Amino acid sequence: MFGVIDLPTYLAGLVLIVLLPGPNSLYVLSVAARRGVRSGYTAAAGVWCGDTVLMTLSAAGVASLLQANAVLFDIVKYAGAGYLTWLAIGMMRSAWQMWRTRREQAAEDAAPAVAAEERPFRRALVVSLFNPKAILFFVAFFVQFVSESNPVVGFVTLGVLAQVASVLYLSTLIFGGSRLAAAFRRRRRLSAGATSAAGVLFLGFAVKLSLASV
């Protein structure tokens, strides 16, 4: 049906995959908690665009090229790890500033200006694109469920289902994160602690990515 083989198994696997924590979902949650629902969806849009690009590249065979070329894989891998590290450092620097100025009114006035400099869509998009393991995963997972008789429709169907699952999951994170936003605005120490934790997690993602192999 629709170029897909064994749809129930694919959907079951898709749910587990979507619920698995990763840098994309963590970043969307962080943005929603710090800046609200609208900015959270802006970041989520970057994730969805990035995933669409990865799915398209996977269908075109680019992921297989990365899998076959260790040097090219390493270049993409370390570029992605470097970007995640840069984001982590930025989060920790922001948290440090919050700790230092949490009792000063000037910090309250400066916070919106700092947040305005962030570009959630672009950051989420880059985090999504610099994820070679995701490209390899899309190929390894999708191919198993694509019918040889109608591969184009199969890839499109699987991609749409994956995006729907992502929309539902990220929407849950966004509205959950927006509830945290009010608490963060009232308690700068809580905001600083959460931002520090997010930075540490991003460093962990960077280390994990840098140690990945084909």
Side-chain angles (χ1 to χ4, degrees), residues 145-171:
F145 301 95
V146 175
S147 173
E148 294 182 1
S149 62
N150 205 344
V152 175
V153 175
F155 270 106
V156 171
T157 301
L158 296 177
V160 169
L161 291 174
Q163 291 290 45
V164 169
S166 179
V167 168
L168 295 175
Y169 178 58
L170 292 183
S171 293

Side-chain angles (χ1 to χ4, degrees), residues 62-114:
V62 174
S64 299
L65 176 62
L66 285 176
Q67 192 171 15
N69 191 320
V71 175
L72 183 59
F73 178 85
D74 285 342
I75 291 174
V76 177
K77 177 179 71 173
Y78 290 120
Y83 186 75
L84 291 178
T85 301
W86 180 75
L87 286 181
I89 293 174
M91 288 180 177
M92 285 193 247
R93 289 180 60 186
S94 177
W96 175 245
Q97 290 298 323
M98 291 178 190
W99 280 109
R100 292 184 58 186
T101 61
R102 65 183 184 275
R103 298 181 184 278
E104 301 176 9
Q105 185 62 37
E108 296 291 336
D109 297 333
V114 173

